[in-house]
Amino acid sequence: DAGVIQSPRHEVTEMGQEVTLRCKPISGHDYLFWYRQTMMRGLELLIYFNNNVPIDDSGMPEDRFSAKMPNASFSTLKIQPSEPRDSAVYFCASSLPGSTEAFFGQGTRLTVV
Amino acid sequence: DQQVKQNSPSLSVQEGRISILNCDYTNSMFDYFLWYKKYPAEGPTFLISISSIKDKNEDGRFTVFLNKSAKHLSLHIVPSQPGDSAVYFCAASNTGNQFYFGTGTSLTVIP
């Protein structure tokens, strides 16, 4: 398996624009996580899914953030409208049920100017 | 509020010496702890873990120690090698699938 695949690797956008980050988890992994990495807060859990169903979205910072998982092999994280303070690296991770090890993608570096 | 804290943003160690990375947590319900390693432009990768029923877990050069009464864990790397230079994240879980991460410690091993 190629691992967790995220796209794009880099995204530069203007404030106010919509941004969509994409993730393909490892096949067979039932859990999918979206994290945001910043210097101040490290890796923050934004939301996670189990079998395509959102379980906990308490980490989503604002209503401007939304995440979907329409099927077992694809998830999106959308920011609308984007703001400069959303600039960060966003990671997607997946894991097997009952496993304590999450496998991370390479991340998407988002810059909002 | 940060439930997992890594108070040292950076650490430098000479090659061959011991590296000790520290982590504190606030939630006494956490029952599983992990360390992840992250190289630049890559995602974090799992390094080592420990269950709350243990106080030590060793894997080659890497050993994790857990002190539940102090809500503290540490990662020891001995001997340190230049290839160990990376950012190390401590993480904790109380459900088995939801992980809380610290802010990371950047380790530099000097040849």
Side-chain angles (χ1 to χ4, degrees):
Chain A
D1 199 315
V4 176
I5 299 172
Q6 290 186 247
S7 64
R9 290 295 309 276
H10 302 274
E11 177 79 40
V12 181
T13 190
E14 290 185 347
M15 183 174 64
Q17 296 297 307
E18 177 181 298
V19 175
T20 299
L21 312 181
R22 296 172 176 79
C23 175
K24 181 181 186 310
I26 293 172
S27 176
H29 283 196
D30 291 350
Y31 284 84
L32 183 139
F33 308 85
W34 281 101
Y35 286 90
R36 176 171 69 176
Q37 183 191 4
T38 61
M39 290 295 291
M40 291 299 295
R41 300 184 65 84
L43 278 165
E44 294 177 89
L45 177 63
L46 301 177
I47 184 171
Y48 78 96
F49 296 82
N50 180 20
N51 289 320
N52 314 336
V53 176
I55 303 301
D56 186 348
D57 65 354
S58 60
M60 297 285 261
E62 299 171 33
D63 290 345
R64 298 184 295 107
F65 286 69
S66 63
K68 294 181 180 180
M69 192 165 185
N71 57 63
S73 60
F74 184 66
S75 177
T76 60
L77 177 68
K78 186 177 293 186
I79 308 172
Q80 165 64 20
S82 57
E83 296 182 3
R85 60 194 168 115
D86 302 330
S87 298
V89 181
Y90 291 80
F91 287 101
C92 175
S94 68
S95 69
L96 287 165
S99 171
T100 52
E101 180 183 348
F103 293 81
F104 283 78
Q106 291 184 295
T108 295
R109 181 173 292 278
L110 173 65
T111 303
V112 183
V113 297
Chain B
D1 190 26
Q2 203 75 14
Q3 296 192 58
V4 178
K5 298 178 183 179
Q6 295 176 256
N7 293 318
S8 298
S10 63
L11 174 69
S12 291
V13 173
Q14 285 290 134
E15 181 178 3
R17 298 287 184 98
I18 185 171
S19 295
I20 300 176
L21 294 93
N22 294 303
C23 177
D24 297 293
Y25 61 95
T26 57
N27 189 342
S28 59
M29 298 300 292
F30 287 145
D31 59 5
Y32 208 87
F33 305 88
L34 308 93
W35 285 92
Y36 278 78
K37 179 178 180 180
K38 183 185 177 305
Y39 291 118
E42 294 183 11
T45 55
F46 172 77
L47 183 59
I48 192 170
S49 63
I50 187 167
S51 163
S52 60
I53 62 172
K54 294 185 174 182
D55 55 18
K56 177 182 174 181
N57 187 27
E58 190 172 352
D59 183 3
R61 297 184 297 112
F62 302 90
T63 303
V64 56
F65 295 91
L66 176 62
N67 182 334
K68 289 187 290 295
S69 61
K71 296 191 182 68
H72 177 84
L73 66 157
S74 60
L75 174 68
H76 292 210
I77 307 172
V78 56
S80 301
Q81 299 174 355
D84 297 328
S85 297
V87 177
Y88 290 79
F89 289 98
C90 169
S93 171
N94 62 346
T95 64
N97 287 103
Q98 188 169 357
F99 307 96
Y100 296 88
F101 283 80
T103 51
T105 296
S106 178
L107 172 66
T108 301
V109 180
I110 303 165

